[in-house]
Amino acid sequence: LKVVTQRTRFDLQTPQYTLPALQAVDHTLFNLQAGGRVDLPSLTNFNSGWINFGFNSTFNAPQLRNFVNSDLNLSPGMILSTPGFTNIDWSRLSVSSGSTLAVAAPTYQAPGGWSGTVFSANGAGSLLDLSSVGLLNTVTNSSGSSYIVGASNHGVINLSGLQSIQGGVNAWQFSLQNNGQILMPNLQQVSGSVSFALGDGTSLDLPHLTRLA
């Protein structure tokens, strides 16, 4: 089995399961039992999919670099063993309760025709490391969407490499609540609709921002 497409569900009710030849999945759900482990040594492409972790379960994909239009929500007891994703376009990523996730993608394309939270960090010790991302972009032929980047309760989103936000006809909102932090020290230019919502105990430093359009 090398490729899985269109609404496939893996309910893994064994302690360990391996799909040694699987390279790409599309519209696929992985359900892992508590303490379970799935090994996908050849997987390189994960598109429009989901991973449901049982407590202390492991999703191991040592070659996975493309995580596209998919959802990933990490909290303690959810073990993701992958390299840093180099393509996270259209995906929604969140960490909570002290979990961490780092990616290696140079840009991010927001999902067209969809509104909601794309990046989130909630809780002390939670870190979503997007420091490799230099550009946040939106789909030019889609309008009316709103994208939220939110950090709350001492959670941190690291966008220290971000230089440009291209909102176009869509909207970006950066929300900081209860000592949450979003780090954007190198942001230089913003276009389109971009807003910043700062709650109690929060601050936002943009020392290199030179252009609002």
Side-chain angles (χ1 to χ4, degrees):
L1 182 64
K2 292 185 177 181
V3 177
V4 172
T5 61
Q6 297 307 317
R7 304 194 183 283
T8 300
R9 175 172 175 155
F10 289 95
D11 281 314
L12 305 176
Q13 301 301 315
T14 60
Q16 186 169 357
Y17 193 78
T18 302
L19 292 163
L22 186 62
Q23 298 174 7
V25 297
D26 182 87
H27 287 84
T28 300
L29 168 65
F30 289 88
N31 273 330
L32 280 67
Q33 70 170 13
R37 177 187 176 99
V38 60
D39 289 297
L40 306 165
S42 301
L43 184 67
T44 58
N45 293 288
F46 194 103
N47 184 55
S48 301
W50 306 264
I51 306 168
N52 287 339
F53 289 88
F55 185 68
N56 280 342
S57 60
T58 300
F59 184 92
N60 179 42
Q63 303 299 323
L64 181 57
R65 289 288 192 176
N66 298 302
F67 191 85
V68 177
N69 195 25
S70 298
D71 293 272
L72 184 60
N73 307 301
L74 293 180
S75 60
M78 301 177 179
I79 303 167
L80 179 75
S81 181
T82 65
F85 302 136
T86 55
N87 185 353
I88 56 170
D89 285 348
W90 293 46
S91 288
R92 285 75 53 188
L93 308 176
S94 73
V95 292
S96 61
S97 303
S99 290
T100 64
L101 175 66
V103 307
T107 63
Y108 175 75
Q109 180 81 39
W114 179 93
S115 294
T117 299
V118 290
F119 302 132
S120 173
N122 179 27
S126 300
L127 172 62
L128 183 56
D129 186 350
L130 305 173
S131 57
S132 63
V133 176
L135 169 67
L136 296 179
N137 201 7
T138 57
V139 179
T140 55
N141 61 356
S142 174
S143 63
S145 295
S146 180
Y147 309 113
I148 299 172
V149 178
S152 57
N153 302 312
H154 299 271
V156 178
I157 297 177
N158 184 352
L159 282 163
S160 58
L162 183 64
Q163 296 183 352
S164 178
I165 302 171
Q166 304 295 328
V169 292
N170 298 291
W172 285 90
Q173 181 185 85
F174 295 83
S175 174
L176 294 85
Q177 302 296 326
N178 192 25
N179 293 293
Q181 296 183 67
I182 299 177
L183 308 178
M184 296 188 289
N186 292 302
L187 181 63
Q188 298 175 15
Q189 60 181 7
V190 169
S191 68
S193 177
V194 177
S195 63
F196 303 95
L198 277 64
D200 293 342
T202 65
S203 63
L204 183 63
D205 295 319
L206 303 171
H208 294 291
L209 183 62
T210 58
R211 183 185 177 196
L212 290 170

